[in-house]
């Protein structure tokens, strides 16, 4: 009975903490066992890599226009802003939801074989060291799930219902 009360009490405290803080870090709501597995140096490296790699530029709503002044709780949650070109309209996906659905090994394998539509520089992600990919994954898991899935890709000729930037065809690819 005492064990049950303790579990309920921890649950209530966790819910209250999330309610007051808003989007809490994953370790805040996680049981102590999971928190002990967090390597803060690896998480910090993942944070650093996501910053210098420009991940937030597209995958965090409002990041570029606010000169990076977006709370970390909103980082890497995808964006409803579209990138429209001859390939159709693409949206930066919610990396936190993607990482939530994958193991670290699956994340690394996906990053190594990734090939997406513009403007994502997938060819740079393919070249990242496994250690760096794992650090980004650990940072995403540290942030925890947040936000919603980005809008789905739209094929050429379909008008986006969201704000978007337009790209012309590249030279030699049917452009002017």
């Amino acid at each position: 009975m005492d064990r049950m009360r303790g579990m309920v009490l921890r649950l209530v405290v966790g819910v209250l903490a999330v309610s007051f803080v808003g989007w809490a870090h994953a370790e805040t709501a996680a049981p102590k066992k999971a928190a002990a597995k967090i390597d803060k140096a690896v998480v910090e490296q993942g944070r650093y890599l996501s910053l210098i790699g420009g991940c937030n530029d597209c995958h965090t709503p409002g990041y570029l226009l606010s000169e990076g002044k977006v709370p970390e709780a909103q980082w890497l949650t995808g964006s409803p802003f579209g990138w429209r070109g001859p390939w159709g309209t693409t949206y930066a996906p919610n990396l936190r939801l993607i990482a939530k659905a994958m193991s670290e090994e699956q994340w690394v394998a996906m990053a190594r074989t990734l090939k997406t539509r513009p403007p994502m520089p997938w060819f740079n992600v393919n070249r990242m060291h496994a250690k760096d990919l794992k650090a980004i994954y650990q940072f995403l898991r540290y942030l925890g799930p947040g936000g919603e899935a980005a809008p789905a890709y739209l094929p050429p000729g379909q008008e986006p219902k969201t704000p978007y930037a337009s790209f012309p065809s590249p030279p030699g690819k049917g452009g002017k």
Side-chain angles (χ1 to χ4, degrees):
M1 189 66 158
D2 286 339
R3 183 176 174 193
M4 181 64 99
R5 281 188 198 137
M7 288 178 16
V8 170
L9 181 60
R10 282 193 298 278
L11 178 63
V12 169
V13 169
V15 169
L16 288 174
V18 171
S19 298
F20 287 112
V21 175
W23 290 104
H25 290 303
E27 72 175 1
T28 303
K32 288 185 180 184
K33 272 187 182 177
K37 293 181 181 180
I38 292 174
D39 182 333
K40 291 186 181 192
V42 173
V43 168
E44 189 55 40
Q45 181 68 8
R47 177 183 288 114
Y48 170 74
L49 289 167
S50 73
L51 284 170
I52 66 158
C55 303
N56 283 307
D57 297 354
C58 295
H59 293 274
T60 299
Y63 192 83
L64 281 175
L65 295 178
S66 71
E67 298 174 352
K69 293 177 180 84
V70 174
E72 189 174 276
Q74 296 170 12
W75 285 14
L76 308 171
T77 56
S79 179
F81 186 83
W83 303 92
R84 188 174 189 199
W87 61 85
T89 304
T90 53
Y91 296 89
N94 184 327
L95 298 178
R96 290 163 61 171
L97 294 180
I98 292 171
K100 177 185 180 223
M102 294 182 159
S103 69
E104 186 177 73
E105 295 76 27
Q106 290 170 323
W107 174 266
V108 171
M110 180 269 308
R112 289 288 169 84
T113 59
L114 183 67
K115 186 169 184 180
T116 63
R117 296 174 185 91
M120 176 64 193
W122 54 267
F123 39 88
N124 292 333
V125 174
N126 293 166
R127 293 181 181 113
M128 290 181 77
H129 296 150
K131 180 179 176 185
D132 293 337
L133 293 169
K134 290 176 181 181
I136 292 171
Y137 174 83
Q138 290 301 322
F139 177 57
L140 291 168
R141 295 297 297 243
Y142 169 79
L143 289 172
E148 299 176 13
Y153 160 77
L154 294 174
Q158 287 192 13
E159 185 69 25
K161 292 182 170 93
T162 64
Y164 63 89
S166 243
F167 288 85
S169 294
K173 301 271 184 171
K176 296 179 180 179

